[in-house]
Amino acid sequence: MNKQLVLLCFICTLFACKTHQNLKTAASEPHRPKFHFTPQANWMNDPNGMVYYEGEYHLFYQYYPNATVWGPMHWGHAVSRDLVNWEHLPIALYPDSLGLIFSGSAVVDWNNSSGFGQNGKPPLVAIFTQHSMEKEKAGRSDFQYQSLAYSNDKGRTWTKYKNNPIIPNTLKIRDFRDPKVVWDEDSKQWVMVFAAHDHIKIWTSKDLKNWQHQSDFGREWGTHAGVWECPDMFKIKVDGTGESKWVLLQSLNPGSPNGGSGTQYLVGNFDGKNFTLDPSFASSVQNGNAVWLDYGRDNYAGVTWSDIPKKDGRRIFMGWMSNWDYATLVPTQAWRSAMTIPRSLNLQNTPNGLRLVSQPVQELKSLRKNTYTIESQVINGLKDITTGTSLKDATIELELQFEMPAAPVTQIGIQLSNALGETYSIGYDLVRQAFLSDRSKSGKQAFSEKFGAKVDFAPRQSNDKFIRMHLFIDRASCEMFADEGTVVTTNIFFPTEDFNKVQLFSKGGAVTLISGNLYNL
């Protein structure tokens, strides 16, 4: 073995040990989740460029490598083969003379329509917003525009297109950002949607480099209580039918049902130029009304993966698990923010019309370490379900089914607690007929008056006689998929000490727990 190879092996060994030690340190940090994606250090927000290629799920994300607050944006990068275990990779895109690297998307250019492919391999193509701080500071309005980069080595390195920007901001719209690109098989073209303050713009292309504006959508539909951001538009089958529809995800800040950042969606059709609402859905989004993807405070800017293989067929979503009301203030030290767990989206006919249903991806079952069956029983007051488990902190999955109680019962649910008396409660309020989330006594809150001041509610969509709750709790967050995923809530919290007790509760009277499972993760 030559000296150079010996030196290389030695450096690699040192790096591997250092990486292992960093991961051990990260796991011991207060509030650092164990099975959600987080940056190794510093600031993270929107997921970007989510694309699947050659066995890898790529996750790019808004990243500032020099501080734990928002700053000049880069694209961080990680990959996974199972949506559970993530490998951190070097920063993919850095700011340049055109500006910072804001949100965007990536696709596999299978037919090399762009001409960027090499050696018979399709390129990965990323399209993203660039933001010129110099133009903004100069008082101009055309400081955001869309640019392109491509990769010929499975996303490890990127080359920016020499003719950037590919869509200049000739309209001089201040909020002109967050392109999401999809291939439309019906019209045989690339379709791009991006946000323009209070609506989306739809552009099309044959080669990913030259784009034509086709239409605008959204000024008269949904809520406009905040600036529109981070759209995603995709075709999806309606469960149990041979029919397909197009879904438009649309994040906005502020304006969500419980305050701050949130994501609404719209269902309709796309003819290659125009997105039109499905008539059965239109009444739900008239007069400033919205249909929400998630009623929690902490799921924002989420989009779906491109190029999931047809044999898989899922539409997989991930969001940023925070809220601009307090994202820069939360009490974490070395890192800021996590992503939600990946979720599979399905479109179903419901009594309320066409609705998206969210479910945790099946790959998360691999996290289950120990399974504890919770026997059918009557709950009246508080019932500890952690006795006899190996629970050291609240890193668990819970599946619960309650019989719908009658008056005088007012609330049922789950309470997390610690030895300091701090609590987080989530469940169902029978008076409001809505699911609840209460973090008002969950621990650290002084960082923002908006964080835990009120109980949040999510109206129930089902008329089933059973209440079903499927929860993923990861030290400082709780994601609930209620009634088979027809209602979803995502919320973060910051207990002074990890929660280590889980109790079922019933207020006002007794409720029957039909069945339950608790999994250590």
Side-chain angles (χ1 to χ4, degrees):
M1 185 179 291
N2 61 42
K3 292 182 179 180
Q4 289 86 355
L5 187 56
V6 171
L7 180 60
L8 178 61
C9 290
F10 178 69
I11 293 171
C12 288
T13 301
L14 282 178
F15 178 77
C17 292
K18 183 66 175 176
T19 300
H20 178 66
Q21 183 61 41
N22 287 345
L23 291 173
K24 288 177 65 178
T25 301
S28 66
E29 290 179 59
H31 315 307
R32 170 86 78 167
K34 292 186 176 180
F35 60 86
H36 287 75
F37 180 84
T38 55
Q40 289 177 303
N42 297 311
W43 172 266
M44 177 183 76
N45 58 290
D46 308 357
N48 297 151
M50 288 156 51
V51 61
Y52 180 89
Y53 181 61
E54 292 194 355
E56 293 180 327
Y57 297 90
H58 289 263
L59 169 63
F60 302 91
Y61 51 90
Q62 291 287 275
Y63 185 54
Y64 182 43
N66 298 328
T68 56
V69 293
W70 191 95
M73 285 291 99
H74 302 55
W75 268 23
H77 189 196
V79 294
S80 173
R81 290 189 169 272
D82 59 6
L83 292 169
V84 177
N85 301 285
W86 293 92
E87 176 189 356
H88 292 278
L89 294 177
I91 291 171
L93 294 174
Y94 287 81
D96 59 29
S97 60
L98 288 177
L100 311 181
I101 311 296
F102 274 24
S103 289
S105 57
V107 295
V108 183
D109 184 10
W110 291 106
N111 296 317
N112 195 26
S113 64
S114 63
F116 295 134
Q118 293 180 356
N119 303 318
K121 287 277 192 177
L124 296 183
V125 177
I127 294 179
F128 48 91
T129 296
Q130 291 201 261
H131 179 110
S132 170
M133 296 298 292
E134 291 75 14
K135 290 182 179 180
E136 183 182 17
K137 290 176 181 177
R140 295 172 59 170
S141 298
D142 60 345
F143 52 81
Q144 293 184 343
Y145 26 78
Q146 321 317 324
S147 290
L148 181 152
Y150 59 93
S151 172
N152 299 114
D153 58 0
K154 297 178 63 176
R156 269 53 180 182
T157 60
W158 292 82
T159 302
K160 289 173 183 167
Y161 182 42
K162 63 182 179 180
N163 292 327
N164 280 336
I166 54 172
I167 300 181
N169 191 345
T170 57
L171 297 175
K172 299 183 179 180
I173 299 173
R174 289 181 61 84
D175 302 299
F176 192 78
R177 59 177 177 263
D178 310 334
K180 181 64 190 288
V181 176
V182 297
W183 173 257
D184 178 21
E185 184 62 29
D186 294 333
S187 59
K188 304 296 183 188
Q189 63 185 344
W190 297 102
V191 178
M192 181 197 301
V193 293
F194 61 86
H197 184 68
D198 62 353
H199 64 284
I200 67 157
K201 293 190 174 294
I202 300 175
W203 292 60
T204 61
S205 174
K206 296 296 184 181
D207 63 4
L208 290 166
K209 298 178 291 188
N210 300 286
W211 293 85
Q212 296 78 43
H213 176 239
Q214 298 294 349
S215 62
D216 295 347
F217 173 83
R219 288 187 179 93
E220 70 277 32
W221 301 108
T223 178
H224 293 83
V227 174
W228 281 27
E229 296 184 309
C230 302
D232 187 359
M233 193 171 79
F234 52 85
K235 192 175 184 180
I236 188 170
K237 290 183 178 179
V238 181
D239 284 0
T241 75
E243 184 182 27
S244 293
K245 293 291 180 182
W246 284 77
V247 170
L248 172 65
L249 303 183
Q250 183 60 68
S251 294
L252 77 161
N253 177 62
S256 75
N258 283 300
S261 315
T263 302
Q264 61 182 330
Y265 67 90
L266 304 104
V267 179
N269 300 287
F270 180 65
D271 63 4
K273 291 186 177 182
N274 299 283
F275 178 87
T276 54
L277 279 181
D278 186 84
S280 67
F281 193 84
S283 61
S284 300
V285 291
Q286 289 176 330
N287 304 317
N289 293 321
V291 178
W292 298 98
L293 187 69
D294 190 312
Y295 280 86
R297 297 290 306 279
D298 298 301
N299 181 3
Y300 189 60
V303 289
T304 62
W305 262 275
S306 171
D307 294 282
I308 298 294
K310 288 184 179 179
K311 65 180 180 181
D312 181 320
R314 290 177 295 175
R315 177 59 57 174
I316 304 175
F317 168 96
M318 179 183 277
W320 174 47
M321 199 158 61
S322 197
N323 189 310
W324 282 116
D325 272 353
Y326 42 73
T328 61
L329 306 172
V330 296
T332 58
Q333 300 302 316
W335 57 280
R336 280 265 167 79
S337 303
M339 298 299 183
T340 69
I341 57 172
R343 306 166 182 194
S344 180
L345 303 182
N346 291 83
L347 188 62
Q348 297 182 357
N349 278 308
T350 76
N352 297 317
L354 290 167
R355 292 293 186 269
L356 283 177
V357 173
S358 302
Q359 291 286 0
V361 295
Q362 61 189 11
E363 287 88 341
L364 292 165
K365 291 180 180 179
S366 67
L367 291 168
R368 294 174 179 175
K369 182 179 179 181
N370 299 309
T371 301
Y372 302 96
T373 300
I374 306 169
E375 301 294 338
S376 177
Q377 58 191 287
V378 174
I379 309 296
N380 195 347
L382 287 169
K383 171 66 176 180
D384 188 352
I385 59 172
T386 50
T387 302
T389 71
S390 58
L391 185 67
K392 296 181 180 179
D393 58 36
T395 307
I396 60 172
E397 178 186 355
L398 270 175
E399 296 174 316
L400 301 168
Q401 178 174 300
F402 295 93
E403 190 176 77
M404 176 66 79
V409 178
T410 57
Q411 290 184 355
I412 60 174
I414 303 96
Q415 177 178 279
L416 309 178
S417 61
N418 59 23
L420 300 176
E422 297 170 342
T423 61
Y424 170 72
S425 298
I426 187 166
Y428 184 67
D429 186 296
L430 284 87
V431 177
R432 291 177 176 259
Q433 297 182 26
F435 293 93
L436 67 94
S437 170
D438 183 0
R439 60 186 182 191
S440 62
K441 301 176 183 177
S442 62
K444 301 171 186 177
Q445 305 207 21
F447 58 87
S448 172
E449 62 182 13
K450 295 182 179 181
F451 183 76
K454 64 183 183 66
V455 179
D456 296 333
F457 293 96
R460 194 181 190 214
Q461 306 298 313
S462 172
N463 294 318
D464 198 291
K465 65 178 180 178
F466 299 109
I467 300 284
R468 296 177 177 88
M469 303 181 204
H470 189 182
L471 302 103
F472 286 78
I473 301 165
D474 192 359
R475 297 187 76 195
S477 66
C478 178
E479 292 161 271
M480 177 176 68
F481 303 83
D483 291 338
E484 308 298 334
T486 58
V487 175
V488 183
T489 65
T490 303
N491 293 283
I492 59 176
F493 38 79
F494 300 96
T496 308
E497 295 178 0
D498 282 341
F499 292 130
N500 58 6
K501 181 183 286 188
V502 184
Q503 296 169 296
L504 306 181
F505 70 81
S506 177
K507 295 183 179 180
V511 62
T512 299
L513 175 72
I514 303 298
S515 62
N517 288 302
L518 185 153
Y519 308 94
N520 283 122
L521 302 183

